[in-house]
Amino acid sequence: MLTQGPRGTKDILPGEVDAWLYVEKKIRELCERFGFQEIRTPIFEHTELFQRGIGDTTDVVEKEMYTFTDRGDRSITLRPENTAAAVRSYLQNKLYADNSLTKLFYIGSMFRYDRPQKGRYREFHQFGVEALGEQSPAVDAEIIILAVRFLQSLGLKDLELSINSVGDPKCRPVYREKLQEFFKDKLDGLCDVCRSRYDRNPMRILDCKSGECQRLSVGAPEITDCLCDECNEHFEKVKEYLTAAGISFTCDPRLVRGLDYYTKTAFEIKYSPLGAQSAVAGGGRYDGLIEEIGGNPTPAVGFAVGLERVMLALEQQKLFNAEPHKADAFIVALGEKAQSVGFKLLVELRDAGLKAAMDYAGRSMKAQMKQANKAMAHYAVILGDDEIAKNVAVLRDMESSAQTEVPMEEIIKKLTDEVKG
Ligand SMILES: [Zn+2]
Ligand SMILES: [Zn+2]
């Protein structure tokens, strides 16, 4: 028990961290280029924020939240997503004050009590952006392009971008009624979940994975036929901007987002080699959320990317190659005297900006060379009694096995030149 992490958690081990750092670096570079600034909100928030911000009737809030009462008798929840928290921070810190458009991004852990499976954990990581304060379809297009460029920058090809408009409080009720009308005499055939969705959220029926529900929803009315002029125009503009940017997409009228505060644009990016876990990014406009949380009505649009799935794709496609050398130099010291000369050199090499390592256990030459290999060192710096007597060290290129004798005082410069090229 003590040596097993909780179900659904995963350690990111030293050998895996490099790939995460690589991805995070790409995110930061790209977000900076697009003018998004990083925000870091707490891991936990008041439970009510998520109840209001995600919706009481969603699976996330009903079944998947990590909620507990703290010692002050407050109900606290580990964030299951970050949009509500970003909006909370935006309002609390008045980030809207000096700008009509606030562009934020985040990277971090989210928590959902979900059935763990490949690429899905109870603690998982998301990269997301939120653009708050602007209703222009250009912003919708901008964040979609950012999501696409991010995945492309990692080398993921053949991404499938689907977009839709889910309307707004003006036109969606009309669609809702049409849908209920359509499903009215099919209710008995729907799964239990969808039967309960019929009243509160019939759009989600279109989203159901059950084969029977999918069969019954063939021929269902499409939201795009019910959009009001404003929503329609907005959707056309988003498509126009994407086309102008050379981004290919398909329109999927079944791409719905269940919550009332979602408006207009919805999108999803799939990477099909991932199979069942192919949805890597999803997002859209949520013009109703900020008011829901207690702010003034404010248009907003955002997305989130599941980083575990991105990492899975990188691994599957072998798109990330770790640096070949973890250490620039590994000091192989033989004998007590060499140990202390070697230790001094170790410190000097590090001070000079080189990645240096050394064995402290006084092992044999063979064992230390093995360690140098394990440390993925570029060079071994070999010091024995003979070398100490001559005030030199033997520099061995671990790849080519070429060896040269170098005077002690030239070692740092020589290694620096070789390594930094
Ligand atoms: Zn169903
Ligand atoms: Zn509308």
Side-chain angles (χ1 to χ4, degrees), residues 3-15:
T3 55
Q4 288 292 321
R7 188 166 139 82
T9 63
K10 184 180 183 293
D11 298 311
I12 299 173
L13 298 174

PDB file of all heavy atoms in Angstrom, residues 3-15:
ATOM      1  N   THR A   3       3.856   1.671  -0.906  1.00  0.00           N
ATOM      2  CA  THR A   3       4.731   1.835  -2.058  1.00  0.00           C
ATOM      3  C   THR A   3       3.950   1.840  -3.371  1.00  0.00           C
ATOM      4  O   THR A   3       4.522   1.667  -4.437  1.00  0.00           O
ATOM      5  CB  THR A   3       5.802   0.726  -2.104  1.00  0.00           C
ATOM      6  OG1 THR A   3       5.130  -0.540  -2.064  1.00  0.00           O
ATOM      7  CG2 THR A   3       6.742   0.825  -0.911  1.00  0.00           C
ATOM      8  N   GLN A   4       2.640   2.031  -3.288  1.00  0.00           N
ATOM      9  CA  GLN A   4       1.809   2.153  -4.491  1.00  0.00           C
ATOM     10  C   GLN A   4       1.099   3.494  -4.477  1.00  0.00           C
ATOM     11  O   GLN A   4       0.425   3.810  -3.496  1.00  0.00           O
ATOM     12  CB  GLN A   4       0.742   1.044  -4.492  1.00  0.00           C
ATOM     13  CG  GLN A   4       1.265  -0.358  -4.765  1.00  0.00           C
ATOM     14  CD  GLN A   4       1.755  -0.524  -6.187  1.00  0.00           C
ATOM     15  OE1 GLN A   4       1.151  -0.003  -7.118  1.00  0.00           O
ATOM     16  NE2 GLN A   4       2.868  -1.208  -6.351  1.00  0.00           N
ATOM     17  N   GLY A   5       1.255   4.267  -5.556  1.00  0.00           N
ATOM     18  CA  GLY A   5       0.518   5.528  -5.643  1.00  0.00           C
ATOM     19  C   GLY A   5      -0.973   5.253  -5.771  1.00  0.00           C
ATOM     20  O   GLY A   5      -1.361   4.154  -6.161  1.00  0.00           O
ATOM     21  N   PRO A   6      -1.837   6.223  -5.459  1.00  0.00           N
ATOM     22  CA  PRO A   6      -3.279   6.016  -5.610  1.00  0.00           C
ATOM     23  C   PRO A   6      -3.644   5.669  -7.057  1.00  0.00           C
ATOM     24  O   PRO A   6      -2.983   6.112  -7.991  1.00  0.00           O
ATOM     25  CB  PRO A   6      -3.887   7.366  -5.225  1.00  0.00           C
ATOM     26  CG  PRO A   6      -2.835   8.069  -4.444  1.00  0.00           C
ATOM     27  CD  PRO A   6      -1.516   7.558  -4.944  1.00  0.00           C
ATOM     28  N   ARG A   7      -4.686   4.877  -7.207  1.00  0.00           N
ATOM     29  CA  ARG A   7      -5.162   4.482  -8.542  1.00  0.00           C
ATOM     30  C   ARG A   7      -5.416   5.722  -9.402  1.00  0.00           C
ATOM     31  O   ARG A   7      -6.000   6.699  -8.931  1.00  0.00           O
ATOM     32  CB  ARG A   7      -6.471   3.709  -8.343  1.00  0.00           C
ATOM     33  CG  ARG A   7      -7.013   3.056  -9.578  1.00  0.00           C
ATOM     34  CD  ARG A   7      -8.106   2.058  -9.157  1.00  0.00           C
ATOM     35  NE  ARG A   7      -9.253   2.109 -10.054  1.00  0.00           N
ATOM     36  CZ  ARG A   7      -9.296   1.477 -11.231  1.00  0.00           C
ATOM     37  NH1 ARG A   7      -8.270   0.767 -11.634  1.00  0.00           N
ATOM     38  NH2 ARG A   7     -10.380   1.565 -11.988  1.00  0.00           N
ATOM     39  N   GLY A   8      -4.963   5.637 -10.642  1.00  0.00           N
ATOM     40  CA  GLY A   8      -5.208   6.745 -11.561  1.00  0.00           C
ATOM     41  C   GLY A   8      -4.159   7.844 -11.492  1.00  0.00           C
ATOM     42  O   GLY A   8      -4.304   8.875 -12.138  1.00  0.00           O
ATOM     43  N   THR A   9      -3.120   7.635 -10.690  1.00  0.00           N
ATOM     44  CA  THR A   9      -2.035   8.617 -10.681  1.00  0.00           C
ATOM     45  C   THR A   9      -0.816   8.002 -11.358  1.00  0.00           C
ATOM     46  O   THR A   9      -0.722   6.785 -11.500  1.00  0.00           O
ATOM     47  CB  THR A   9      -1.632   9.032  -9.255  1.00  0.00           C
ATOM     48  OG1 THR A   9      -1.129   7.889  -8.559  1.00  0.00           O
ATOM     49  CG2 THR A   9      -2.800   9.624  -8.500  1.00  0.00           C
ATOM     50  N   LYS A  10       0.084   8.864 -11.764  1.00  0.00           N
ATOM     51  CA  LYS A  10       1.252   8.370 -12.486  1.00  0.00           C
ATOM     52  C   LYS A  10       2.440   9.262 -12.148  1.00  0.00           C
ATOM     53  O   LYS A  10       2.311  10.483 -12.135  1.00  0.00           O
ATOM     54  CB  LYS A  10       0.969   8.445 -13.989  1.00  0.00           C
ATOM     55  CG  LYS A  10       2.048   7.876 -14.866  1.00  0.00           C
ATOM     56  CD  LYS A  10       1.642   7.999 -16.343  1.00  0.00           C
ATOM     57  CE  LYS A  10       2.664   7.381 -17.277  1.00  0.00           C
ATOM     58  NZ  LYS A  10       3.938   8.116 -17.280  1.00  0.00           N
ATOM     59  N   ASP A  11       3.556   8.634 -11.858  1.00  0.00           N
ATOM     60  CA  ASP A  11       4.779   9.414 -11.669  1.00  0.00           C
ATOM     61  C   ASP A  11       5.346   9.758 -13.030  1.00  0.00           C
ATOM     62  O   ASP A  11       5.331   8.929 -13.940  1.00  0.00           O
ATOM     63  CB  ASP A  11       5.816   8.583 -10.906  1.00  0.00           C
ATOM     64  CG  ASP A  11       5.330   8.210  -9.512  1.00  0.00           C
ATOM     65  OD1 ASP A  11       4.871   9.109  -8.797  1.00  0.00           O
ATOM     66  OD2 ASP A  11       5.418   7.013  -9.146  1.00  0.00           O
ATOM     67  N   ILE A  12       5.818  10.959 -13.178  1.00  0.00           N
ATOM     68  CA  ILE A  12       6.565  11.296 -14.387  1.00  0.00           C
ATOM     69  C   ILE A  12       8.030  11.178 -14.002  1.00  0.00           C
ATOM     70  O   ILE A  12       8.557  12.004 -13.255  1.00  0.00           O
ATOM     71  CB  ILE A  12       6.212  12.707 -14.882  1.00  0.00           C
ATOM     72  CG1 ILE A  12       4.708  12.764 -15.211  1.00  0.00           C
ATOM     73  CG2 ILE A  12       7.038  13.059 -16.112  1.00  0.00           C
ATOM     74  CD1 ILE A  12       4.202  14.156 -15.541  1.00  0.00           C
ATOM     75  N   LEU A  13       8.659  10.116 -14.463  1.00  0.00           N
ATOM     76  CA  LEU A  13       9.998   9.762 -13.997  1.00  0.00           C
ATOM     77  C   LEU A  13      11.066  10.602 -14.687  1.00  0.00           C
ATOM     78  O   LEU A  13      10.809  11.205 -15.737  1.00  0.00           O
ATOM     79  CB  LEU A  13      10.227   8.274 -14.254  1.00  0.00           C
ATOM     80  CG  LEU A  13       9.244   7.372 -13.486  1.00  0.00           C
ATOM     81  CD1 LEU A  13       9.411   5.916 -13.898  1.00  0.00           C
ATOM     82  CD2 LEU A  13       9.439   7.535 -11.974  1.00  0.00           C
ATOM     83  N   PRO A  14      12.261  10.642 -14.094  1.00  0.00           N
ATOM     84  CA  PRO A  14      13.328  11.465 -14.669  1.00  0.00           C
ATOM     85  C   PRO A  14      13.518  11.259 -16.174  1.00  0.00           C
ATOM     86  O   PRO A  14      13.682  12.213 -16.916  1.00  0.00           O
ATOM     87  CB  PRO A  14      14.568  11.017 -13.889  1.00  0.00           C
ATOM     88  CG  PRO A  14      14.029  10.635 -12.557  1.00  0.00           C
ATOM     89  CD  PRO A  14      12.676  10.014 -12.831  1.00  0.00           C
ATOM     90  N   GLY A  15      13.425  10.017 -16.640  1.00  0.00           N
ATOM     91  CA  GLY A  15      13.609   9.766 -18.067  1.00  0.00           C
ATOM     92  C   GLY A  15      12.480  10.322 -18.921  1.00  0.00           C
ATOM     93  O   GLY A  15      12.631  10.493 -20.124  1.00  0.00           O
TER      94      GLY A  15
END
